[in-house]
Amino acid sequence: MVSQLSLAIVLCACALLSHASIPTVKESVHTPVRSWANIGSPPPEHILNLRVALPQSNYTALEEQLYQISSPQHASYGKFLTKAQVEALVQPRPESVTAVEDWLAGHGINSSQASQRSPAGDWIKLAVPVSLAEKMLSTKYYMWEHVDGTRLVRTTQYSLPPELHLHIEFIQPTTLFSRSQSFRATVVPDAVTTSDALLPLSRRVQQSSKSTIDPSCATKITVTCLKQIYNAVDYRTSATNGNQIAVTGYLEEFANKEDLQMFYAQQRPDALNSTFKEILINGGINPQNSSLAGPEAALDVQFAFGLTFPTPRTFYSTGGLAPFVPDANEATDSNEPYLDWFEYLFSHPDIPQTISTSYGDEEQTVPKSYAIRVCQSFAQLGVRGVSLLFGSGDAGVAGANPDTQICLTNDGRNATRFLPNFPASCPFVTTVGATQGFNPEVATTRFASGGGFSDYFERPSYADAAVADFFKQFPKETYAGLFNPNGAPIPDVSAQGDHYQIFLSGVQVGIGGASAATPTFASIISMLNDARLNRGKPPLGWLNPMLYLVGQNALTDVVEGSNPGCGTPGFNATKGWDPLTGLGTPDFKKLMKVVLEL
């Protein structure tokens, strides 16, 4: 009797174990993947850098503290957390760590092979061959080629044992077909006449009164033009008060220092012979061959650093883009630069207070789980006092690429839909749209500034009143079903985005894009941080609650223009916030008055 009972227990346990070990689908994407073609199997020895995301133990508390720290009415405003305090909130639960380590050990991966972890331990990085990844994830990887020639090694679904689903949020690269791209793809070069190229623009513009804007700024934007337009002519930043500004570089965008010196000579002579700190992440490089100079990097570095000099300056160059070589035994196609960048920043206690980024992709191309985790990572920086600014895009309501205008969902329905961009749609960054001209300043016309509403992230409460006012002016049922009216609003603010004068490979050129507006607004924020630090106050950190709740009257409302796309006129600029120019463009002196009273 006892023997039969023992046998029954053993059989039952075996059955349960067998059932538990059968992997079930964790994530999948609809096939066929639009704009991507399956071109065959990668070599089994090709190395994938897998990242395993473990659930963060107390992220809810971190987000709650972020709102308190960033809301001007709250008693905790400006009381940022330390690196150690953030890590304590996002570290994984011990049971998750044990479950994942046991699973890895079952595939022959010991703790030393899984030793690459984020400072909080909520990410594990593994370098494994495709053949092992396929066994671990019960999947099949393929090589995929985009219509633009980009190649990736990805799968359309992967599975994990059911008992692991609660301990792993996701694993990438698997179903991530996003191509984080610079919005430089839509910048529009200006023609530069010989006489213009020879004339120092800054000197010509500086002859005008500080209370006026030089007429030449209507067609050629310089550092002095921006200071005149945004009421910051008299302000001088400090090099020693602890303030810092940074711009990010991805996708082999290199910042040429000789170009920067030429820019300084023309537009910021007092900055001549100064340079920036260069931080190379994950194999990032910044070669100084003039022919390799990148337009996006040139634009970001020259204007962000020109506007804020002598504030200490940093250029982050993050690797991750290289041609996929089918017979190479290394991961050459990791297109997830944010994760490597986060890993670096999270490991350092001293981070620049203002960071400008001009990269992104259509939100729907990013798996929602991945987008949420990246957005939460931005929150981790915000709670440490960092202001993050991103461009809204240059294709109006049509996503990231103005040339394709394929406004269809990728969930198998092929439904017509406006396409918001990510990370622009993340509420924990401040998204910048593009304008042009002055008296009045209007939305850009040579390209359509990106804007709309997120399909992934709900509208935060701080934006409720501003968005509600917009919908009072917006005809009901217009574009019904084409966007999510309850989604996070895009953009938050705007700034000049066309006719910027830069030096590229030794030649003066004009350039435009939302990628121009971003470092400009970031520079204004850096100057505001400078003013606060001079008064012994903390930096601004996550900006959005402040901008929507107390800063709107210190911004200049833009009420002309539209952002066409998807075969529609898009949204119109209107009084108050709108999904084209946001709350408006900065007035530095008005904003400084606001932030110094906080």
Side-chain angles (χ1 to χ4, degrees):
M1 179 72 178
V2 174
S3 177
Q4 289 178 333
L5 181 60
S6 299
L7 178 60
I9 292 173
V10 170
L11 291 173
C12 181
C14 289
L16 288 173
L17 181 61
S18 176
H19 176 73
S21 64
I22 298 175
T24 58
V25 174
K26 177 65 174 175
E27 287 192 305
S28 64
V29 294
H30 182 79
T31 56
V33 183
R34 184 179 298 121
S35 301
W36 292 90
N38 182 331
I39 59 172
S41 300
E45 66 274 14
H46 174 73
I47 300 298
L48 289 171
N49 283 325
L50 294 182
R51 290 181 180 271
V52 183
L54 281 64
Q56 298 169 335
S57 59
N58 207 1
Y59 171 78
T60 301
L62 182 142
E63 185 172 313
E64 181 180 351
Q65 291 188 56
L66 174 62
Y67 271 90
Q68 295 172 354
I69 287 168
S70 308
S71 299
Q73 303 93 332
H74 201 278
S76 296
Y77 181 75
K79 297 179 180 178
F80 300 113
L81 303 188
T82 65
K83 173 179 178 290
Q85 289 172 322
V86 171
E87 289 171 3
L89 292 171
V90 301
Q91 64 184 359
R93 295 182 296 273
E95 56 268 30
S96 293
V97 176
T98 300
V100 173
E101 289 181 342
D102 288 348
W103 171 65
L104 294 174
H107 288 281
I109 300 172
N110 57 41
S111 57
S112 63
Q113 292 170 298
S115 60
Q116 283 189 278
R117 308 193 183 196
S118 62
D122 55 330
W123 291 95
I124 299 177
K125 186 175 181 180
L126 307 165
V128 300
V130 165
S131 56
L132 177 56
E134 290 178 338
K135 292 177 181 177
M136 295 169 62
L137 304 177
S138 299
T139 191
K140 171 64 179 167
Y141 275 90
Y142 293 96
M143 293 185 294
W144 299 82
E145 185 172 75
H146 193 266
V147 292
D148 69 0
T150 301
R151 289 188 177 185
L152 301 173
V153 175
R154 296 291 188 268
T155 182
T156 56
Q157 80 171 34
Y158 66 97
S159 300
L160 294 170
E163 63 270 23
L164 275 180
H165 283 228
L166 289 176
H167 300 297
I168 294 178
E169 286 191 350
F170 61 82
I171 298 175
Q172 294 291 354
T174 49
T175 57
L176 178 64
F177 282 82
S178 171
R179 298 170 306 117
S180 183
Q181 54 191 302
S182 164
F183 292 133
R184 79 184 192 280
T186 54
V187 294
V188 184
D190 287 319
V192 179
T193 65
T194 302
S195 59
D196 284 338
L198 294 174
L199 181 62
L201 294 173
S202 61
R203 295 177 189 173
R204 182 179 69 238
V205 171
Q206 287 173 346
Q207 293 172 358
S208 64
S209 168
K210 293 177 181 178
S211 62
T212 61
I213 301 171
D214 191 282
S216 67
C217 298
T219 56
K220 288 182 172 58
I221 291 293
T222 66
V223 165
T224 302
C225 286
L226 292 172
K227 288 197 169 189
Q228 290 178 347
I229 292 170
Y230 296 134
N231 200 16
V233 172
D234 297 328
Y235 193 77
R236 298 291 181 267
T237 58
S238 169
T240 59
N241 63 1
N243 193 34
Q244 302 178 60
I245 187 171
V247 299
T248 60
Y250 302 103
L251 311 181
E252 298 181 350
E253 275 283 340
F254 308 131
N256 187 273
K257 297 177 182 179
E258 289 186 9
D259 285 345
L260 179 63
Q261 294 305 312
M262 295 178 72
F263 178 85
Y264 280 162
Q266 186 193 67
Q267 299 195 32
R268 193 71 202 247
D270 57 329
L272 265 173
N273 300 319
S274 69
T275 187
F276 52 86
K277 181 165 65 174
E278 186 178 87
I279 296 179
L280 308 179
I281 302 170
N282 188 40
I285 57 176
N286 191 36
Q288 291 302 297
N289 186 318
S290 180
S291 64
L292 298 177
E296 183 60 58
L299 174 62
D300 290 349
V301 164
Q302 290 171 27
F303 272 89
F305 299 165
L307 281 164
T308 60
F309 179 82
T311 297
R313 306 156 295 284
T314 298
F315 175 67
Y316 294 109
S317 179
T318 303
L321 178 76
F324 171 61
V325 182
D327 60 355
N329 294 339
E330 58 183 352
T332 58
D333 67 326
S334 293
N335 198 26
E336 305 163 64
Y338 298 126
L339 301 187
D340 295 307
W341 182 69
F342 284 140
E343 185 176 320
Y344 177 86
L345 290 190
F346 291 160
S347 66
H348 286 73
D350 182 29
I351 304 174
Q353 296 93 336
T354 310
I355 303 177
S356 174
T357 302
S358 300
Y359 300 79
D361 203 356
E362 291 162 8
E363 185 182 66
Q364 68 168 358
T365 68
V366 182
K368 189 172 183 179
S369 62
Y370 179 87
I372 290 173
R373 186 62 174 260
V374 168
C375 192
Q376 291 175 347
S377 296
F378 290 133
Q380 288 177 238
L381 293 173
V383 82
R384 287 179 60 181
V386 180
S387 300
L388 300 161
L389 295 101
F390 278 78
S392 65
D394 303 334
V397 295
N401 193 332
D403 298 324
T404 58
Q405 295 281 314
I406 301 175
C407 301
L408 300 173
T409 62
N410 62 358
D411 56 3
R413 297 182 299 126
N414 286 328
T416 302
R417 189 81 171 173
F418 290 168
L419 301 178
N421 289 321
F422 178 82
S425 62
C426 170
F428 301 125
V429 305
T430 299
T431 302
V432 187
T435 61
Q436 66 184 48
F438 50 90
N439 297 327
E441 195 166 3
V442 301
T444 50
T445 56
R446 295 206 295 176
F447 60 90
S449 185
F453 301 86
S454 173
D455 283 322
Y456 283 0
F457 302 100
E458 294 182 358
R459 180 175 63 247
S461 60
Y462 60 74
D464 282 344
V467 175
D469 287 343
F470 167 75
F471 280 118
K472 289 176 183 176
Q473 306 170 68
F474 190 69
K476 291 183 179 179
E477 302 304 318
T478 302
Y479 305 146
L482 294 184
F483 68 95
N484 172 23
N486 299 313
I490 308 166
D492 300 299
V493 292
S494 52
Q496 291 280 317
D498 207 356
H499 307 300
Y500 279 59
Q501 302 301 303
I502 66 168
F503 281 87
L504 182 64
S505 301
V507 178
Q508 181 185 327
V509 298
I511 203 164
S515 51
T518 311
T520 295
F521 204 98
S523 297
I524 295 295
I525 296 303
S526 181
M527 288 190 280
L528 294 173
N529 278 333
D530 180 87
R532 282 178 59 84
L533 291 171
N534 286 340
R535 296 282 188 91
K537 295 176 179 287
L540 292 168
W542 180 38
L543 300 168
N544 294 358
M546 181 275 291
L547 290 171
Y548 281 86
L549 298 175
V550 301
Q552 186 167 359
N553 291 335
L555 298 165
T556 302
D557 196 9
V558 178
V559 296
E560 293 184 30
S562 63
N563 56 355
C566 304
T568 75
F571 296 106
N572 289 329
T574 60
K575 183 179 179 180
W577 179 89
D578 57 68
L580 169 58
T581 62
L583 296 168
T585 60
D587 183 314
F588 174 74
K589 288 184 179 177
K590 288 183 179 179
L591 282 168
M592 183 166 64
K593 184 177 186 298
V594 170
V595 303
L596 290 181
E597 292 175 352
L598 299 178

